[in-house]
Amino acid sequence: MALWLTSLEQSHARSRLSVLSLTQPTFSPQDWNLTWHTENPDFTQCFQNTVLVWIPCIYLWACFPVYFLYLRCHDRGYIQMSNLNKAKTALGLILWIVCWADLFYSFWERSQNIFRAPFFLISPTVLGITMLLATFLIQYERMKGVQSSGVMTIFWLISLLCATVIFRSKIILALNTGAEVDAFRYVTFCTYFILLLVQLILCCFPEQPPLFSETKPCPEFSASFLSRITFWWITGLMIQGYRRPLEAKDLWSLNKEDTSEEIVQPLNMLYSSKKQQKSSDSNGDVTEEAEALIIKPSQKNYEASLFKVLYKTFGPYFLMSFLFKAAHDLLMFAGPEILKLLINFVNDKHAPDWQGYFYTGLLFVCACLQTLILHQYFHICFVTGMRLKTAIVGVIYRKALVITNSARKTSTVGEIVNLMSVDAQRFMDLATYINMIWSAPLQVILALYLLWQNLGPSVLAGVAVMILLVPINAVMAMKTKTYQKAQMKSKDNRIKLMNEILNGIKVLKLYAWELAFREKVLEIRQKELKVLKKSAYLAAMATFTWVCAPFLVALSTFAVYVKIDKNNVLDAQKAFVSLALFNILRFPLNMLPMVISSIVEASVSLKRLRVFLSHEELDPDSIIRGPTTDARLNYVHFIFSINFTVPEGSLIAVVGQVGCGKSSLLSALLGEMDKKEGYVVVKGSVAYVPQQAWVQNATLKDNIIFGREMNESRYKRVIEACALLPDIEILPTGDRTEIGEKGVNLSGGQKQRVSLARAVYCNADVYLFDDPLSAVDAHVGKHIFEKVIGPKGILKNKTRVLVTHAVNYLPQMDTILVMSDGEISEMGSYQELLKQDGAFAEFLRTYANAEQSMENSGNVFMKQTPGLYFPRLKISIFNRQLSNSSTYSRETGKSQHQSSTAELQKPLAEKNSWKLTEADTAKTGRVKATVYWDYMKAIGLFISFLSIFLFMCNHVASLASNYWLSLWTDDPVINGTQQYTNVRLGVYGALGISQGLPGLPIVILAGGIFASRHLHLNLLHNVLRSPMSFFERTPSGNLVNRFSKEIDTIDSTIPPIIKMFMGSTFNVIGACIIILLATPIAAVIIPPLGLVYLFVQRFYVATSRQLKRLESVSRSPVYSHFNETLLGVSVIRAFEEQKRFIKQNDMKVDENQKAYYPSIVANRWLAVRLEYVGNCIVLFAALFAVIARNKLSPGLVGLSVSYSLQITAYLNWLVRMSSELETNIVAVERWVVHHSYTWPEEGKVEFRGYGLRYREDLDLVLKNINVTINGGEKIGIVGRTGAGKSSLTLGLFRINEAAEGEIIIDGINIAKIGLHDLRFRVTIIPQDPILFSGSLRMNLDPFDQHSDEDIWRSLELAHLKNFVSALPDKLNHECAEGGENLSVGQRQLVCLARALLRKSKILVLDEATAAVDLETDNLIQSTIKSQFEECTVLTIAHRLNTIMDYTRVLVLDRGEVVECGSPDNLLQEKGIFYSMAKDSGLV
């Protein structure tokens, strides 16, 4: 409606006479006087009764065919008839009746011989039919499950607007006394008007949901149309997020059409059918021979088909965005046009006032429509992007399960992970930009057309400048592409290397190779940074051209315009309308290079993806699974040529030298090898135990059951047979213990047995064992052979193929295959082979002798053939990097101790919650300012502040140049020319050129590179120096995520975001200043709007940031699961579990998208709200200009309104950028997590000749103390009162500085480091437990460094959990001053919890004398023993019984150490300690 009116009013303004071909009677000049040149405007009767009635009808009939088809295809289920629906339908019918009442009245008038104009018949007829159509649509929508309809809402709105105009006119007419009034039509029209109003109101309420709906559905579909276009429906989540940090359980389930299942299935089907078509084209009858050729159709076709398939899947939905984008682009140009009319209005002192208000209103309506349309468009784009990512991840995962091993080698794990993370991301980015390809040229052409109208041919100068800049940008884009390829390559290599390092970290640590590998990574990183640097310089050039481009265009155009002809006057209208148009031009010109590079990146990604998806797949028919007449394994022509048959239920051994093809034989039976000829037949299902056990990151039980249903008795039998019972008893929570990634908390033997148990449990028909006995101890091996594999084992009736080196089991085999160099050299039973007296017999004889001699020496390796002895060992080191070296003894040993002390007090429920790997946790709360500070420090403070300063200069210049322009346009015109054109032009040019200070972008980007070098170095350094336990706890997916996605963010996302963020900030501030200069009264409005803006922004950031964190946290499991799958792909295929794994992957991706979807919508929610703030600024800028038009010069009006028109876009960018910055700086935050400072690592404390005095003029309280305390020792410090025990702690914390000597902790003199560093690293539990008034949480963790889980854990260990859980406010319980509202014992425990939370290497216990009852004292001591087992503990003891089990005791007397040794020794020496013990009654 508004759009239509604009065009109408503009045509009025240009006084074109025939307005619309629809209106047969044209406007005559006196109609103009009625409508426009008057203080009280109105339309003619004829116009009201035709055009205004027909507009809504035309709209609905135009929409109907498209909408009807759409509804037919998209059925959301059936909605039951509700009162709301009945009301809408009834009103629709009444409206129809009212319209036709008019019609029949006209017929009646004719019969009375009153002849009216024909439209009194036509209009009611058309309107009535339209109302019937509307009523039909209301019902049809209900049947198709539409809860709230946009088409209908808009229809009622347009009808009401048109009716309002007529209504106003009818009232004016009625009040105008003396005019005759058509009473009947008045009544019908008023009824019609009221009914329309009610319909519109009813339309704002949504219907109830269709009959079947899911759990916690997304409120989007049940929201009303208004709520959906303003994104009001997410407000509930925003409020929740503002009140407390969101958690995963607060998120809604994904919409059905966004789930992996719905997206990937059709895509996969389409894609595979495309491949099938290709293959069948290439060869009519597909024979065995041709199969190899078919799998690789020509590369070019593939690209097309992948693109086509993506287009087919996502195109139709995406097409809607075209319409929105086009509408938005057209509306963009309404702004400058209305600005032109406004400036004219200010110039024309005789124009009636209402026209100014009318323009202001129009400007506001256009801006608002633009906002709504733009964000619908963005929403569609982002959702498409999200679906694309889901699709790509799903397709890659499915492909990874079927590619051959040879193909696996060409794409490393790192590359595939990058495909899933980085390349999928590129597609997501593309979805938002792709429309610019046609929209940018459209905008440019429109802008140029309007400019031509404004300034005439001199626009060509500007166009020339633009055309010159295009090739420059193109060259840059091409360069960027090559750099990007290079960077991706280095990145792939780096990730690959990091992956290897993380997988083999144990070996690296054993050999102390971290430094060497660190150098390797840094070398690759160096290459990467070099490329980054080059692309940064390019980007800087590009930025310079972009910043200057619009300005140069404006400058050249104005210069040519005023120079061509003396009489060309640059007045406000010309200058500012042109400027507004140039500003519009700036956007498409800036975007085009971005779009082009985005398309380039996406095409690189498409190519990488295509290469991966066109890898050869395993031929599912290479082995025939099924019952054959003679149940057997039959294999022909393998490696060289192999024939053998295995009868059902027999036990076969495969032996031979290392590398003779034993494992390959099993792979062939599983169909994992390329088959050249022959056939393999396997009867029934297969179970496979690989040589390197593959264990999932799940509980032990899940690993064994492996997706089969649980059968308790069978499960118990299996566990017993596989000798897992003793292991399960050791594990912290039995078979519910979570096993770390790649099984880090199991020893090699345990993993092998779990892997075996998995095979045995699944009860298959054929068992393939690839040397499972080599990883386990001899006696366990024997047990397993007897109970599982051997003739008396669980599997005695199954067909078993065992690859082994253990000769002592061979006599029990039914058949033995001896292999050498890929051929079967001999075959037969043990006796037969001995009789043959071939190579095998020879080998056995030598072996038997060796075995006896070895058995005597009791060597563990006795089950190895001598010939295979050394090579086997060597291999086991390399192949089993992580798995085999026994992590077990140290790890489980440790957890055993820890659990045993704690278990006594640990109820069962808690016992079940023991977890090994720490999930990637989301931080909560605001991103701390320190993170930004860290980033600035990483860049270097000088450079940081320099860039901020340069930015300011830049924007000051830009403001000045535009202000100068407004002064220029207000120059008086004398004899048709302006006076000082040359000066004006020169200064304008100078100010403009100084905007694009080339130093600026280079500084920022160089800074970004410094930062990313610094942060990567730190992270790498810290990860490599982390103790082994860190790697056992942290899934490698998290670390890979850090090294791929988050480094990518720091490298290439953050610097440009910072640049845009600062740019937008200064732009907004600048625009506000200009508006205030022009109309100072705006000062009343801008601050409140600013407050609204800040409120909305803060409100949003809380939710958005947490969503981003949840998304980032839920991303890690996708990678971890993917890595795991790639490692165990042969096992998964052998057990035929692909479907389950695909489903798991889909679930994980959906979990990730569940957090991503609300974050997109939250962005839109925010943008719509903020743009409304911007639109209000436009409204007020224009309004104040209209009010004060007599005082203002047109130049200032132009300046102020043209700036306000930009402010919306800037506000939008500002928020997007500030939230992007905050969400992306999370990458830095998560980096900084890993760069924790590790000193003191050991906790060794040395006092060297230490002395201390309280004041200069006092004696030494401590003198000549020489003690070395090793890391992890527990030291008691005793002595009579005043012996200087507490002074020792004062010295250790440097409360008092040393008078002489020094204290050294881990080789660092504590006097040489910062006090904070020292006191953060040493923890004390003080003598008098002091709390501060404030929440309990604040008392435990004043810096907010720890998550709630950590705090609860420390409370639990401090035995306060039950007490705190019972408090009404839990952690927020207010402590009174000094903690008076807690008992002294409880306060002491709070101090203990504080220490547990800090968990530093050195703990000082200043023991409380009488504060604590004995029970609490014991609790504290036991906690300290278990929790600070590896820490150095210094206890100042008053009760000697607490320190009797310490490693050493120091006895102080008058400030000197008099005795030092273990408690037992000191008691025997009968010195001071003895006498103190005697006093305590301990001796």
Side-chain angles (χ1 to χ4, degrees), residues 60-70:
L60 193 64
W61 284 100
C63 289
F64 173 68
V66 185
Y67 189 52
F68 184 72
L69 282 173
Y70 170 79

Side-chain angles (χ1 to χ4, degrees), residues 590-607:
N590 277 0
M591 288 302 285
L592 266 178
M594 265 174 92
V595 175
I596 291 167
S597 68
S598 182
I599 287 179
V600 165
E601 286 173 9
S603 68
V604 172
S605 293
L606 190 71
K607 194 165 163 196

Side-chain angles (χ1 to χ4, degrees), residues 768-826:
L768 307 176
F769 298 110
D770 197 346
D771 203 6
L773 301 175
S774 62
V776 297
D777 301 337
H779 62 279
V780 182
K782 199 166 164 197
H783 171 97
I784 288 178
F785 187 77
E786 283 168 11
K787 290 278 167 51
V788 183
I789 304 173
K792 299 194 185 61
I794 295 192
L795 306 176
K796 53 178 182 283
N797 303 324
K798 312 277 187 188
T799 311
R800 290 144 297 165
V801 178
L802 171 71
V803 170
T804 185
H805 294 113
V807 174
N808 53 338
Y809 305 134
L810 295 181
Q812 305 181 37
M813 302 289 172
D814 299 337
T815 318
I816 298 170
L817 297 181
V818 185
M819 293 192 68
S820 65
D821 298 340
E823 294 186 345
I824 295 181
S825 56
E826 300 177 80

Side-chain angles (χ1 to χ4, degrees), residues 1025-1045:
R1025 282 191 41 193
S1026 300
M1028 206 46 221
S1029 55
F1030 168 77
F1031 294 99
E1032 280 153 13
R1033 282 199 317 271
T1034 314
S1036 62
N1038 297 5
L1039 292 173
V1040 171
N1041 191 1
R1042 294 276 195 290
F1043 278 102
S1044 66
K1045 190 86 177 81

Side-chain angles (χ1 to χ4, degrees), residues 929-1116:
T930 51
V931 177
Y932 294 101
W933 187 242
D934 277 333
Y935 186 73
M936 281 173 75
K937 278 196 296 202
I939 292 178
L941 293 178
F942 173 69
I943 294 188
S944 305
F945 287 115
L946 180 66
S947 10
I948 293 175
F949 174 69
L950 284 173
F951 250 114
M952 284 187 59
C953 300
N954 177 1
H955 283 276
V956 169
S958 145
L959 283 182
S961 68
N962 285 334
Y963 187 63
W964 185 259
L965 186 66
S966 90
L967 294 177
W968 179 2
T969 59
D970 288 340
D971 273 355
V973 179
I974 302 167
N975 307 333
T977 61
Q978 280 170 321
Q979 300 289 294
Y980 314 104
T981 12
N982 291 352
V983 182
R984 292 292 192 196
L985 194 60
V987 174
Y988 181 60
L991 284 170
I993 295 291
S994 59
Q995 284 177 51
L997 281 174
L1000 170 94
I1002 292 186
V1003 166
I1004 284 200
L1005 292 159
I1009 289 172
F1010 284 136
S1012 74
R1013 165 177 300 158
H1014 184 79
L1015 290 165
H1016 178 263
L1017 194 76
N1018 270 358
L1019 179 80
L1020 184 63
H1021 183 68
N1022 287 315
V1023 165
L1024 288 177
R1025 282 191 41 193
S1026 300
M1028 206 46 221
S1029 55
F1030 168 77
F1031 294 99
E1032 280 153 13
R1033 282 199 317 271
T1034 314
S1036 62
N1038 297 5
L1039 292 173
V1040 171
N1041 191 1
R1042 294 276 195 290
F1043 278 102
S1044 66
K1045 190 86 177 81
E1046 318 232 326
I1047 271 284
D1048 185 42
T1049 306
I1050 291 175
D1051 281 350
S1052 46
T1053 318
I1054 293 182
I1057 284 181
I1058 288 183
K1059 200 173 73 196
M1060 292 193 219
F1061 169 71
M1062 287 169 68
S1064 311
T1065 315
F1066 286 120
N1067 278 334
V1068 171
I1069 295 170
C1072 290
I1073 292 173
I1074 290 282
I1075 293 173
L1076 286 173
L1077 274 179
T1079 47
I1081 189 176
V1084 182
I1085 286 298
I1086 287 181
L1089 283 177
L1091 284 175
V1092 171
Y1093 174 85
L1094 279 175
F1095 169 71
V1096 170
Q1097 153 82 334
R1098 286 264 45 95
F1099 190 74
Y1100 153 84
V1101 164
T1103 307
S1104 146
R1105 189 186 45 232
Q1106 205 50 25
L1107 284 171
K1108 186 82 169 192
R1109 284 180 177 154
L1110 284 173
E1111 192 263 332
S1112 161
V1113 165
S1114 60
R1115 200 187 316 122
S1116 292

Side-chain angles (χ1 to χ4, degrees), residues 1323 1354 1357-1358 1391-1399 1423 1427-1428:
T1323 307
S1354 66
L1357 292 167
C1391 293
L1392 173 65
R1394 224 184 260 164
L1396 287 164
L1397 207 53
R1398 285 266 289 262
K1399 197 74 196 222
T1423 307
Q1427 293 305 312
F1428 290 99

Side-chain angles (χ1 to χ4, degrees), residues 505-518 1024:
I505 190 75
K506 185 140 195 196
V507 176
L508 286 192
K509 290 209 171 297
L510 294 175
Y511 287 137
W513 281 352
E514 297 103 326
L515 286 176
F517 274 85
R518 187 180 138 204
L1024 288 177

